Amino acid sequence: AAERLLRSNTYGSCILSLFFLSDGKPSDKISMVMTDRKITHIPLIQNRVNDLASRFGRRLSVVTVGFGGPNEDFSVLEDIANRAAQFDSNGRFYAAHLKVEALGTAFASVATSLKQTRVELTTTGGSSQRAVHDVRRRAKNAIGLDLFPNKQNWYTYEGKSWDGVK
């Protein structure tokens, strides 16, 4: 649904915020993936966030909030926010630790972030809309990993194209 919304409106003023609130204990009834002899749904989440963030960049805001005890594991929420940020989406994680004030801060931050992003993505301070092009972005932490020096010390690209073909 999020992808359909952003694809249907190609103007910079159309931005979307995905907000995840969790107590840190997985309870979803979704198909699991076997990785290193343990069953997890984390790769499915990671791939989907990567796909959305690489496609929509600044038009997508991903906010995750851990609302549980201080000993809960919020690493999946942190990873989701960090992955979005790698593609220039606004990815943020908040550890609210059962504190209403911290939860309020997270919601206020979302509102402020959406307003700032909307102004950035329109021309002359928000007075007119800019069309947004459908361009896939690369994760910041992956830039340069597919460049290798050859014998003459020239760097050559040896990666795959976006459609997976060399």
Side-chain angles (χ1 to χ4, degrees), residues 9-13 55-56 59 121 130-134 137:
N9 188 329
T10 59
Y11 290 99
S13 64
R55 182 169 209 155
F56 299 111
R59 294 178 62 206
L121 293 176
R130 279 193 274 182
V132 179
H133 302 286
D134 189 7
R137 291 151 186 84

Side-chain angles (χ1 to χ4, degrees), residues 122-129:
T122 55
T123 58
T124 62
S127 65
S128 65
Q129 299 179 0

Side-chain angles (χ1 to χ4, degrees), residues 5-6 9 11-18 56-61 110-111 113-119 121:
L5 173 70
L6 288 171
N9 188 329
Y11 290 99
S13 64
C14 180
I15 55 178
L16 178 70
S17 182
L18 299 178
F56 299 111
R58 296 283 298 142
R59 294 178 62 206
L60 179 68
S61 172
V110 170
S113 172
L114 287 174
K115 183 177 181 179
Q116 288 174 340
T117 301
R118 185 173 181 204
V119 169
L121 293 176

